[in-house]
Amino acid sequence: MTIRFFAYYRDPEYTGRKEMTMAAPHTVRDLGDALCSQFGSPFAEEFFNSGRTAPGDRIIIMINGRRVEFLDGLDTLLRESDVVQLFPVVAGG
Amino acid sequence: MNNGYIGRILRINLKNGTIRKEPLNDANASQYVGARGLGTKYFCDECDPACDPLGPGNNLVIMTGPLTGTAAPSSGRYNAVAKSPLTGTIGAANSGGHFGPELKFAGYDGIIFEDISEKPVYLYINDDEVELRDASHLWGRDVFDTTEALYEECGSNFRVACISAAGENGVLFAGIMNDKHRAAGRGGMGAVMGSKKLKAIAVKGTGSVKVARPEAFFNEIVEARDSLRAHPVTGAGLSAYGTMILVNIVNGVGGLPVNNGSEGSLFPNADEISGETLTARHLIRNKGCFGCPIGCGRLTEIKAGAFKSKGEGPEYEAGWSFGADCGIDDLGAVCNANFLCNQYGIDPITMGATVACAMELYKIGAITEEDVGFPLHFGDAAAMVRATEMTCKGEGFGKIMGLGSYRMAEKYGHPELSMSVKKQEMPAYDGRAIQGIGLEYATSNRGGCHVRGYMISPEVLGIPQAMDPLTTENKPAMLKVFQDLTALCDASGICLFTTFGIGLKEIAGMYREAVGSDESDEEILLKGERIWNLEKRFNIAAGVEKDTLPPRLLRETLPSGPAKGRVNELYTMLAEYYAARGWTKDGIPTDNKLEELGIK
């Protein structure tokens, strides 16, 4: 599967990546564990809320353009063909 | 006065050259707050809704709010209000920078310009010294040149709002530019100014703005500034990347219209025109408006190549209009076109969307190389910049593009290809992929516009709470609240971007302590609803067409992305929206509603 990072998540202290591929973990929660393990702090503080029940309040996680809040949250199942997009909360207009 | 207002406005009759200083209408200020609200109230009380937007009966009202020029965060705003020559609706355009505060420091809450001057003039304001001066030597000159000339003539510490030849020559989407790069951009307020032969306003003031309860006001400001600093968007994100940071996330939800919306709303090369790329390649430094802790402005430069240029911006909407909407992924060209819009004082949303519409007309053969003067294919960056420049300068086919996309497309037999509402172009979000923003476009009181009720906030950004962009549930009620709160925010004199980090509680708190009111938050929000209904009443009296969307959004399904197969479900939402507003099923404010709001 493809994972894309945006805004300051691309900075070296977060992931230093614009894009990466990996074998699809079972769920979004498993993906979060894998990415937090790979990149460590400060990225690891972003992915989950404190109870690991939902995304953290500074991250937007999209699977194929849909926020996980409108899918099955962290339990959303992942497939090899999925594109995951990770945005910090941003705004403009 | 010690209540946020100065208590005095200027009334300038351009035909006979009279200058009057008159007391602010306190009762109206209390009801309509200021800036967009109070400016609209003055306008509606004095002008015939049927007036010719470019004729003598269309007053131009420049109005600040009670928070403008105070220590409230991002309080550099003023509004220009007149009947829009582009839409025929009430036209209220909002700008930041330093001009609005300076007007208050000079001793005036606002200026009303009446009638038409016989020769080009500019208004000189140096505290109590107010003069209409000859501007023949400035006529025809661009925004930067005019501003520099007035700095030299009046003093470099003056603040200047002006138009270029685009406004003078009636480009229907010419804006009023202040501090060179800040724009009261949408709806053609610059064309109204040009029709009056009013080239510029130069102002310097040495006074200050006093508030009613300074200590309580200070406490409210501290709280608001703390909230803005703590919020990830207003405290870090907007400052770091500017508004162009939206390109990737809006494209991410499949909502970034491509090729005039004819190719759906997923742009393969979106990252090339994103805030991330702009920051990495072209950013020189940030720039903020008066009293702003956010600082979203960008000073940028294209250092080499065909589009070598330097200026401010682009903002997200211009990044899209000159980028994805024209099928262009060359950020240099996008910046160059945006810089031209600043230099010549025209609205880059309408400009880019009009070029995109012309490109589609060209693609289907409705216009040819003979009409344009060169091929105008989607994706041709040089042609896009050239078309923009021709419009700015009023050359050849640019004169037709200067009428906006609707009149242009209608002339060539395809009005349905204009992506506009009430003849104003919709901004950078596809209403098929983001349902609530479609409802906002349809119901906005100044035609296609995102900043009357920014539904992207909940539907894409999750602020203040995430709403599914593909559904219609609860959108009408949420939009009404957003529209009313936005009207209040605009009227108060602070920047709408603060509402990413603060809400009604903070805005009402600052307003209350500034003006010395004991009204509740709800009573203060009601002023926003009052403004909205006054605008709507004007539009109905002016005979503005019904609330709808271009046929493309209602009938052509999106070909790909998360919203594949969808259209905008406008008519599912519209009846609920009108009900939430207490209007008739045809969208007309009832007598009861107007009476309840005290609209006379």
Side-chain angles (χ1 to χ4, degrees):
Chain A
M1 65 187 301
T2 302
I3 303 158
R4 294 185 181 137
F5 302 93
F6 296 94
Y8 58 80
Y9 289 167
R10 293 177 177 181
D11 292 349
E13 60 266 40
Y14 281 84
T15 71
R17 311 275 187 107
K18 281 171 75 169
E19 185 173 312
M20 62 184 277
T21 55
M22 67 189 292
H26 187 55
T27 65
V28 171
R29 182 177 282 101
D30 297 329
L31 171 68
D33 285 335
L35 294 176
C36 292
S37 170
Q38 178 171 349
F39 295 115
S41 181
F43 183 82
E45 280 83 60
E46 299 279 310
F47 203 93
F48 297 110
N49 69 356
S50 56
R52 289 174 53 87
T53 55
D57 58 10
R58 293 194 300 266
I59 195 169
I60 295 171
I61 305 170
M62 285 188 199
I63 313 297
N64 304 322
R66 299 283 290 149
R67 287 177 77 124
V68 295
E69 289 89 336
F70 306 127
L71 302 171
D72 291 324
L74 297 178
D75 296 324
T76 303
L77 299 176
L78 296 172
R79 296 168 302 182
E80 289 301 335
S81 59
D82 286 341
V83 175
V84 178
Q85 299 179 97
L86 301 176
F87 301 88
V89 174
V90 294
Chain B
M1 294 175 77
N2 294 330
N3 63 354
Y5 301 98
I6 302 301
R8 189 169 66 160
I9 64 167
L10 285 169
R11 184 177 294 276
I12 314 292
N13 187 290
L14 292 162
K15 185 177 182 185
N16 58 30
T18 57
I19 296 170
R20 279 174 29 211
K21 295 168 185 171
E22 63 180 47
L24 185 73
N25 185 320
D26 293 334
N28 285 345
S30 171
Q31 294 285 295
Y32 293 91
V33 185
R36 172 180 159 191
L38 185 57
T40 300
K41 177 60 176 166
Y42 268 108
F43 181 85
C44 290
D45 283 353
E46 299 179 8
C47 296
D48 182 350
C51 70
D52 173 1
L54 300 178
N58 192 20
N59 287 356
L60 174 64
V61 182
I62 304 291
M63 192 62 67
T64 64
L67 298 181
T68 305
T70 68
S74 314
S75 57
R77 314 299 294 192
Y78 73 95
N79 265 242
V81 181
K83 182 176 176 179
S84 163
L86 184 69
T87 62
T89 64
I90 193 78
N94 188 326
S95 182
H98 297 262
F99 177 83
E102 197 74 22
L103 184 62
K104 287 182 79 173
F105 300 157
Y108 312 96
D109 292 299
I111 314 169
I112 299 174
F113 292 101
E114 304 169 338
D115 221 314
I116 290 175
S117 174
E118 279 184 20
K119 59 175 187 177
V121 292
Y122 77 90
L123 185 68
Y124 171 91
I125 306 171
N126 185 358
D127 285 330
D128 277 336
E129 191 185 349
V130 183
E131 296 171 12
L132 278 170
R133 292 182 169 181
D134 179 58
S136 302
H137 60 301
L138 301 171
W139 207 246
R141 292 163 79 169
D142 70 36
V143 168
F144 300 163
D145 197 19
T146 300
T147 304
E148 285 295 338
L150 287 173
Y151 287 160
E152 195 167 315
E153 207 165 303
C154 304
S156 59
N157 52 355
F158 274 68
R159 299 291 179 182
V160 173
C162 69
I163 59 170
S164 81
E168 297 165 16
N169 296 331
V171 170
L172 294 182
F173 48 94
I176 300 171
M177 303 297 293
N178 58 276
D179 305 289
K180 287 188 180 175
H181 303 278
R182 298 289 103 199
R186 301 221 74 190
M189 296 302 99
V192 174
M193 192 159 154
S195 75
K196 297 186 172 308
K197 294 209 167 43
L198 176 65
K199 179 68 179 178
I201 306 162
V203 59
K204 180 168 79 73
T206 55
S208 61
V209 182
K210 295 179 174 59
V211 298
R213 300 192 284 246
E215 195 173 329
F217 184 62
F218 179 77
N219 291 337
E220 292 288 344
I221 288 169
V222 169
E223 194 174 316
R225 285 184 178 266
D226 285 349
S227 297
L228 291 172
R229 199 175 299 115
H231 195 279
V233 167
T234 50
L238 264 173
S239 171
Y241 295 101
T243 57
M244 287 273 278
I245 194 64
L246 282 186
V247 169
N248 277 321
I249 193 166
V250 175
N251 195 54
V253 300
L256 191 71
V258 178
N259 291 5
N260 202 36
S262 65
E263 302 284 330
S265 291
L266 263 181
F267 190 49
N269 297 336
D271 201 52
E272 282 297 307
I273 56 167
S274 68
E276 291 92 331
T277 302
L278 184 75
T279 302
R281 293 185 196 161
H282 304 301
L283 178 67
I284 300 172
R285 63 179 167 83
N286 291 15
K287 196 172 174 188
C289 297
F290 177 88
C292 184
I294 301 170
C296 68
R298 322 262 93 184
L299 184 60
T300 48
E301 183 174 17
I302 309 304
K303 289 181 178 158
F307 305 113
K308 187 173 186 299
S309 50
K310 185 177 177 181
E312 282 194 29
E315 304 300 331
Y316 164 69
E317 311 295 336
W320 157 80
S321 70
F322 294 122
D325 204 35
C326 290
I328 288 166
D329 61 5
D330 184 326
L331 190 52
V334 169
C335 289
N336 196 345
N338 180 70
F339 298 155
L340 284 168
C341 288
N342 285 349
Q343 184 179 355
Y344 288 91
I346 62 175
D347 168 15
I349 301 177
T350 287
M351 182 71 256
T354 299
V355 176
C357 178
M359 286 174 163
E360 188 167 4
L361 290 170
Y362 187 88
K363 184 179 177 182
I364 66 167
I367 60 173
T368 64
E369 191 173 338
E370 196 176 324
D371 296 306
V372 182
F374 48 88
L376 193 59
H377 298 290
F378 282 120
D380 186 336
M384 180 276 289
V385 173
R386 179 72 189 120
T388 300
E389 188 174 20
M390 287 167 69
T391 308
C392 289
K393 295 180 176 174
E395 297 170 354
F397 188 68
K399 288 180 186 158
I400 294 167
M401 288 195 288
L403 302 173
S405 68
Y406 186 86
R407 290 171 176 86
M408 174 184 70
E410 188 178 46
K411 173 181 167 66
Y412 294 105
H414 290 278
E416 77 283 1
L417 296 186
S418 167
M419 294 302 110
S420 61
V421 174
K422 302 181 177 77
K423 301 185 180 67
Q424 177 162 271
E425 290 68 16
M426 298 177 296
Y429 318 90
D430 196 317
R432 293 170 289 185
I434 309 164
Q435 293 291 320
I437 200 70
L439 180 63
E440 152 64 8
Y441 292 156
T443 59
S444 155
N445 282 333
R446 64 172 188 175
C449 174
H450 59 305
V451 288
R452 285 298 183 256
Y454 191 58
M455 288 297 286
I456 299 306
S457 207
E459 293 187 284
V460 177
L461 312 173
I463 302 171
Q465 67 201 54
M467 298 181 90
D468 189 337
L470 298 184
T471 65
T472 59
E473 285 77 22
N474 302 320
K475 301 288 175 71
M478 179 63 100
L479 177 62
K480 176 189 178 292
V481 172
F482 267 51
Q483 289 176 336
D484 292 349
L485 180 61
T486 299
L488 173 66
C489 180
D490 288 348
S492 76
I494 65 170
C495 178
L496 183 60
F497 280 4
T498 59
T499 59
F500 291 126
I502 61 175
L504 174 62
K505 175 178 167 289
E506 292 85 357
I507 295 170
M510 291 188 287
Y511 169 80
R512 201 159 29 232
E513 306 310 339
V515 307
S517 158
D518 293 316
E519 294 162 295
S520 67
D521 290 359
E522 290 68 29
E523 287 169 320
I524 292 170
L525 182 60
L526 203 65
K527 296 171 197 286
E529 184 175 7
R530 182 177 298 121
I531 294 164
W532 191 269
N533 278 264
L534 181 69
E535 292 173 337
K536 182 69 177 183
R537 192 182 68 163
F538 175 88
N539 288 350
I540 290 167
V544 172
E545 58 258 51
K546 66 177 185 175
D547 298 337
T548 188
L549 291 169
R552 172 161 287 159
L553 267 64
L554 298 172
R555 294 180 206 142
E556 289 180 28
T557 56
L558 281 172
S560 59
K564 182 179 178 181
R566 296 192 183 248
V567 295
N568 185 270
E569 303 291 342
L570 177 65
Y571 295 105
T572 304
M573 298 183 280
L574 204 51
E576 192 181 333
Y577 171 82
Y578 290 151
R581 284 230 164 268
W583 294 353
T584 70
K585 63 181 175 48
D586 297 319
I588 296 170
T590 61
D591 290 344
N592 280 348
K593 173 53 74 173
L594 295 174
E595 195 175 321
E596 174 194 321
L597 293 168
I599 296 175
K600 295 169 188 148

